[in-house]
């Protein structure tokens, strides 16, 4: 099983980021205020498909129908997919139509979209066939700030289609292993555990990602100073095994320079990010490009990143979560090892620990139990259903309610080290997707406990799922807010307008959007 949170029930929240950082002013000229608009994916037939169906019905012969079909595919190739169209009766939403070009052997086509596809009811994500053509399509009405990744797969197997819903679900579950990127969508992101890619789409009001490695991000690559990335093998005593650790050093960092030479000024020590899943962030997502761009734009000071590998699914499930052994590995082995070689800060307030899913749970546990080492936490879609005693890969049956970590935090001893402005313990930032089941309720319960104990807590609830396509942009935003220079990022060459920075860490994200979303099972989670 995955480390995704259980996905059932509804999510209702009131602190979404929506239009906090619009892509460009003109993109949003005709959009209404999204506050309160329904974010639930709804089936819809987009205007382009509806028009084509009418044209095909009125075509005089097969040649005319073939010409209409070819023109449709030529247009899709020019514009890219999925098709994104305005809706006259829902200006705050878009019709998003996923397309697949089939052939004679195509029997069905399955869409696997994070935040949209319900993995327990895969038949609902089967594409429709437009009769007499090779066009397969599936449309959803999505709120205009949605971002997500997806993959698709065609079933060309022989034999009858199972009529029994249970047997069909089994067939579709098996089909998922063969899914891949959308051939007509050039925006891709590497898949987590496979040598494959997923496709990415973002609607007009989705928060921009000016510093990610997206081909369309506008971040210059050839004319900015480049940091270095090294991969080292450590003897991880706390884990009883060796672990590879990715090390990012900013431009002009001096390798193997002791961090605490006599007379070394604090300003010469590098802020530090300790990040779970280094094999994904550096091995696949190219985090170096993102950090290089942040530093070049002047919104992030030169900093170092230490990112241990997750190794594999089984090892990750055994080691990550609220486990003392892994936190000891990070705090007592990885950080001291690196501090003896590079000029890294020893200040907790300038040391961020971050992760996603089970890695987010690890980051929270590290910040709560070792605040003298980790003064800031970025927990993206943290697996707050985790609790001690669970079998690896299992999800707590009582996942809805007060999470175990909130109970732990409430019982921690008083007298934690004072942080900036006298706040006790770590500053905590959450990133939560609207389409992640009970996670919004979990983080709200934990946030109340943390604030009562004196922690400063922020939460960004966005219109997306359990998805690196969302996390990669919000990780950059969180770093700017937690350890940024305070420079105006909106004036930076590669940052889109509306990107905010600054130290306002004890309030919810400004300019937030609210709404409701029917939570769905993810098509697959990191």
């Amino acid at each position: 099983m995955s480390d995704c949170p259980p996905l059932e029930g509804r999510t209702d929240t009131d602190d979404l980021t929506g239009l906090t950082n619009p892509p460009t002013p003109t993109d949003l000229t005709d959009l209404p205020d999204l506050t309160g608009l329904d974010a639930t994916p709804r089936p819809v037939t987009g205007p382009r498909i509806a028009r084509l169906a009418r044209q095909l019905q009125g075509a005089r012969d097969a040649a005319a129908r073939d010409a209409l079909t070819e023109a449709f595919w030529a247009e899709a190739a020019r514009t890219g997919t999925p098709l994104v169209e305005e809706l006259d009766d829902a200006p705050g939403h878009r019709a998003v139509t996923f397309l697949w070009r089939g052939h004679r052997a195509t029997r069905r086509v399955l869409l696997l979209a994070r935040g949209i596809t319900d993995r327990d009811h895969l038949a609902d994500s089967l594409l429709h066939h437009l009769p007499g053509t090779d066009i397969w399509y599936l449309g959803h009405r999505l709120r205009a700030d949605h971002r997500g990744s997806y993959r698709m797969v065609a079933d060309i197997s022989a034999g009858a289609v199972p009529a029994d819903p249970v047997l069909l679900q089994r067939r579709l579950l098996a089909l998922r292993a063969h899914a891949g990127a959308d051939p007509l969508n050039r925006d891709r992101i590497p898949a987590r555990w496979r040598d494959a890619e997923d496709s990415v789409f973002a609607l007009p009001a989705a928060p921009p990602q000016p510093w990610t490695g997206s081909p369309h991000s506008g971040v210059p690559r050839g004319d900015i100073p480049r940091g270095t990335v090294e991969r080292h093998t450590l003897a991880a005593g706390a884990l009883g095994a060796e672990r590879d650790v990715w090390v990012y050093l900013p431009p002009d960092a001096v390798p193997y320079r002791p961090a605490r030479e006599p007379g070394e000024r604090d300003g010469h020590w590098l802020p530090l990010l300790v990040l779970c899943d280094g094999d994904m962030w550096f091995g696949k997502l190219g985090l170096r490009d993102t950090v290089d761009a942040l530093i070049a734009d002047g919104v992030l000071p030169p900093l170092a990143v230490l990112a241990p590998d997750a190794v594999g699914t089984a090892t990750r499930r055994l080691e990550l979560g609220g486990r003392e052994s892994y936190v000891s590995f990070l705090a007592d082995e990885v950080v001291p090892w690196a501090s003896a070689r590079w000029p890294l800060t020893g200040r907790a307030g300038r040391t961020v620990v971050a992760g996603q899913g089970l890695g987010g749970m690890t980051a929270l546990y590290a910040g709560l139990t070792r605040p003298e080492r980790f003064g800031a936490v970025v927990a993206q879609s943290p697996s707050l259903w985790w609790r001690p005693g669970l079998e690896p890969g299992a999800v707590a049956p009582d996942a809805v309610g007060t999470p175990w970590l909130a109970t732990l935090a409430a019982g921690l001893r008083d007298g934690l080290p004072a942080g900036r402005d006298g706040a006790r313990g770590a500053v905590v930032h959450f990133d939560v997707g609207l389409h992640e089941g009970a996670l919004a309720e979990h983080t709200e319960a934990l946030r109340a406990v943390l604030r009562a104990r004196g922690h400063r807590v922020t939460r960004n609830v966005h219109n997306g799922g359990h998805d690196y396509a969302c996390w990669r942009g919000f990780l950059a935003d969180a770093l700017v807010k937690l350890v940024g220079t305070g420079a105006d990022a909106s004036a930076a060459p590669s940052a889109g307008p509306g990107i905010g920075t600054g130290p306002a860490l004890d309030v919810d994200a400004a300019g937030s959007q609210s709404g409701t979303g029917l939570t769905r099972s993810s098509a697959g989670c990191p």
Side-chain angles (χ1 to χ4, degrees):
M1 296 178 65
S2 83
D3 65 324
C4 302
L7 300 175
E8 54 190 20
R10 292 185 62 87
T11 294
D12 297 291
T13 186
D14 61 358
D15 57 343
L16 310 183
T17 53
L19 296 180
T20 302
N21 302 321
T24 68
T26 56
D27 285 336
L28 305 183
T29 300
D30 299 323
L31 280 178
D33 183 1
L34 299 188
T35 302
L37 290 185
D38 184 15
T40 307
R42 307 284 188 188
V44 70
T45 300
R48 184 68 184 90
I49 288 290
R51 183 168 67 251
L52 178 60
R54 293 192 299 269
Q55 292 171 333
L56 289 169
Q57 272 191 331
R60 63 181 179 275
D61 53 29
R65 287 192 293 272
D66 289 345
L68 286 168
T69 301
E70 289 301 323
F72 174 82
W73 283 121
E75 178 187 354
R78 286 194 306 270
T79 61
T81 52
L83 303 181
V84 177
E85 302 172 282
E86 295 184 0
L87 293 167
D88 292 338
D89 60 346
H93 295 81
R94 293 291 184 270
V96 179
T97 305
F98 300 89
L99 297 173
W100 184 269
R101 189 165 196 174
H103 50 72
R104 291 180 181 177
T106 303
R107 304 172 65 220
R108 65 181 72 84
V109 181
L110 177 63
L111 171 70
L112 299 166
R114 296 179 186 273
I116 298 175
T117 296
D118 185 342
R119 66 182 174 196
D120 295 326
H121 301 90
L122 292 177
D124 294 341
S125 287
L126 287 172
L127 275 64
H128 308 295
H129 183 218
L130 197 58
T133 74
D134 56 3
I135 298 170
W136 294 75
Y137 69 95
L138 183 63
H140 286 282
R141 191 199 74 173
L142 303 177
R143 202 170 72 180
D145 56 350
H146 191 108
R147 171 181 275 111
S149 65
Y150 67 98
R151 54 187 186 268
M152 306 174 77
V153 58
D155 184 358
I156 56 174
S157 61
V161 177
D164 186 301
V166 175
L167 295 179
L168 178 59
Q169 173 72 4
R170 291 178 184 172
R171 176 78 66 86
L172 297 178
L173 284 171
L175 193 62
R176 294 186 309 169
H178 306 286
D182 179 352
L184 293 178
N185 186 343
R186 293 176 296 171
D187 197 353
R188 309 282 180 87
I189 191 171
R192 179 63 180 101
W193 297 112
R194 305 182 305 141
D195 185 17
E197 291 181 312
D198 293 342
S199 297
V200 176
F201 73 99
L203 298 190
Q209 299 179 341
W211 294 293
T212 66
S214 169
H216 308 295
S217 65
V219 178
R221 290 286 179 250
D223 57 352
I224 63 176
R226 302 286 283 161
T228 60
V229 174
E230 304 171 356
R231 197 174 183 181
H232 297 265
T233 301
L234 275 66
L239 303 178
E242 291 185 338
R243 287 290 177 268
D244 285 347
V245 177
W246 299 77
V247 179
Y248 169 88
L249 298 172
D252 300 324
V254 181
Y256 301 103
R257 174 187 172 201
R260 294 173 178 81
E261 290 179 347
E264 183 78 68
R265 290 186 299 167
D266 183 75
H268 290 173
W269 295 349
L270 298 172
L272 177 62
L273 167 64
V274 178
L275 179 64
C276 297
D277 294 299
D279 46 351
M280 182 62 178
W281 283 103
F282 284 105
K284 292 191 173 187
L285 290 176
L287 183 62
R288 180 179 73 167
D289 293 339
T290 298
V291 181
D292 284 346
L294 287 162
I295 295 172
D297 280 353
V299 295
L300 199 67
L303 86 165
V305 183
L306 306 176
D309 274 359
V311 181
T313 305
T315 300
R316 189 175 187 272
R317 290 170 177 168
L318 283 171
E319 294 183 348
L320 299 189
R323 302 184 191 275
E324 183 61 36
S325 57
Y326 201 83
V327 170
S328 179
F329 165 60
L330 296 178
D332 302 326
E333 296 181 351
V334 175
V335 173
W337 166 84
S339 296
R341 289 160 173 79
W342 299 286
L344 307 184
T345 183
R347 294 171 53 197
R350 300 292 283 171
T351 303
V352 181
V353 59
Q356 300 75 35
L358 281 173
M361 180 71 175
T362 300
L364 285 167
Y365 189 79
L368 293 179
T369 61
R370 300 297 298 272
E372 79 287 351
R373 175 68 78 182
F374 304 111
V377 174
V378 179
Q380 298 186 291
S381 304
S383 298
L384 292 179
W385 48 261
W386 189 95
R387 68 183 186 197
L390 284 178
E391 291 294 324
V395 175
D398 56 345
V400 177
T402 302
W404 167 81
L405 192 61
T407 303
L408 174 74
L412 287 175
R413 68 188 186 281
D414 290 326
L416 293 175
R420 187 168 52 184
D421 301 330
R424 295 182 310 191
V427 174
V428 178
H429 174 77
F430 293 103
D431 282 316
V432 180
L434 261 181
H435 309 291
E436 294 196 82
L439 186 56
E441 285 82 358
H442 283 177
T443 55
E444 180 57 36
L446 180 56
R447 179 168 66 164
V449 172
L450 295 178
R451 283 182 165 173
R453 289 185 52 78
H455 294 268
R456 286 186 293 169
V457 187
T458 61
R459 188 175 70 155
N460 164 45
V461 183
H462 58 88
N463 191 5
H466 201 82
D467 201 338
Y468 277 102
C470 300
W471 297 333
R472 61 181 178 174
F474 290 128
L475 177 62
D477 294 343
L479 290 175
V480 170
K481 291 177 181 178
L482 290 169
V483 293
T485 62
D488 181 7
S490 64
S494 63
I499 302 289
T501 63
L505 299 176
D506 55 351
V507 295
D508 293 339
S512 63
Q513 300 296 313
S514 65
T516 61
L518 176 65
T519 60
R520 293 167 176 257
S521 300
S522 173
C525 300

